[in-house]
Amino acid sequence: MVKIAPSVLSADFSNLTEQVGLAEKGGADYIHLDIMDGHFVPNITFGPIVVKSIRKITDLTLDVHLMIENADHYLKAFREAGADILTVHYEACTHLWRTIDTIHELGAKAGVTLNPATAINLLDPVLEKIEMVLVMTVEPGFGGQKFTPEMIEKVTYLSHVKNEKGLDFDIEVDGGIDVETAPQVVQAGANVLVAGSSIFGKKDIGSAIKDLRKAADSVLNPQIMV
Ligand code: DX5
Ligand code: ZN
């Protein structure tokens, strides 16, 4: 079954307890937390202190997407704050193997992600070492952008390599995921869907999660009517 990871980037930050609670009640699997430093991406969000507060209000897996330079310097702080999955950008890590080892030593799952312009086969050397690949389906930095259909072939590639080599990393997608685009990426092999505006941007957060899940599952189980 597909996992749904609502991104709090589009949530009401003045009421995170309620918003995360509604996502949890609505059947979310992960809570996706976007960390932006104003250097790697042009936007700034929040750091370990806020992650620690969110850790207190939910037992869901905290899926932390680090859009930051010098990720190595902050891994421990984010892990101690409660991150379960730490995902770093290929473009921001000079010694990616070492970074992945550090994440594992901290007891977290390791994810690696890449910008739309980065070739997917550059991740070949790390696929056996990681628990998740995050395919960015928009340029990282902002919520509410339009899905980039060209990224579907990256998902197809990963799915192929995964089957061929018998690997079991998750394939997550992030950016412009909604009831229209979810079936396309699931069809290609994605099994974790990040969604910000199509969940927290909706009035009824619980229904939005259910609609997204239904759209995604309709591909795996065609009897489900969307
Ligand atoms: C963008 C972030 C996303 C963002 C997605 O850089 O990584 O997680 O919240 O937002 P939507 O789902 O609105 O495209
Ligand atoms: Zn993200």
Side-chain angles (χ1 to χ4, degrees):
M1 199 166 85
V2 167
K3 290 191 169 77
I4 309 280
S7 163
V8 301
L9 193 60
S10 299
D12 175 2
F13 273 74
S14 70
N15 206 351
L16 274 184
T17 306
E18 184 211 61
Q19 300 263 291
V20 170
L22 288 171
E24 189 163 349
K25 245 175 130 186
D29 299 285
Y30 297 168
I31 296 295
H32 183 85
L33 302 175
D34 289 299
I35 314 300
M36 305 185 188
D37 65 352
H39 291 276
F40 180 67
V41 287
N43 199 1
I44 299 177
T45 55
F46 52 86
I49 294 171
V50 174
V51 174
K52 196 173 174 186
S53 301
I54 296 173
R55 178 73 291 168
K56 287 187 194 146
I57 59 174
T58 181
D59 291 327
L60 292 180
T61 295
L62 295 186
D63 172 26
V64 175
H65 176 190
L66 297 172
M67 285 162 272
I68 62 174
E69 288 174 5
N70 298 319
D72 292 332
H73 296 206
Y74 301 98
L75 295 172
K76 191 163 182 272
F78 280 106
R79 175 61 179 154
E80 285 175 356
D84 298 295
I85 305 170
L86 286 164
T87 296
V88 294
H89 267 267
Y90 173 85
E91 301 84 359
C93 295
T94 312
H95 303 288
L96 189 53
W97 273 24
R98 187 185 299 153
T99 302
I100 292 165
D101 286 343
T102 305
I103 294 172
H104 286 150
E105 281 157 22
L106 291 167
K109 289 187 174 168
V112 175
T113 184
L114 72 176
N115 292 335
T118 303
I120 190 66
N121 61 0
L122 291 171
L123 299 195
D124 283 355
V126 301
L127 293 179
E128 292 185 22
K129 280 175 83 79
I130 58 180
E131 284 71 44
M132 188 162 82
V133 176
L134 167 55
V135 175
M136 287 308 298
T137 41
V138 296
E139 285 284 8
F142 301 94
Q145 301 179 78
K146 209 171 162 298
F147 177 77
T148 316
E150 290 87 345
M151 297 303 112
I152 295 174
E153 65 187 54
K154 289 186 177 177
V155 177
T156 306
Y157 173 85
L158 287 171
S159 188
H160 176 74
V161 174
K162 194 174 150 174
N163 288 337
E164 204 172 53
K165 298 196 173 169
L167 302 175
D168 69 351
F169 55 85
D170 287 319
I171 304 176
E172 183 178 53
V173 286
D174 184 5
I177 301 298
D178 58 20
V179 291
E180 300 295 325
T181 55
Q184 302 172 41
V185 287
V186 171
Q187 182 80 62
N191 69 321
V192 186
L193 307 179
V194 176
S197 42
S198 71
I199 292 180
F200 286 113
K202 294 276 165 68
K203 241 189 171 152
D204 187 337
I205 291 168
S207 305
I209 293 173
K210 287 186 184 82
D211 290 347
L212 193 59
R213 190 182 293 289
K214 211 165 144 191
D217 284 347
S218 68
V219 174
L220 304 173
N221 182 358
Q223 291 98 296
I224 297 175
M225 299 293 288
V226 185

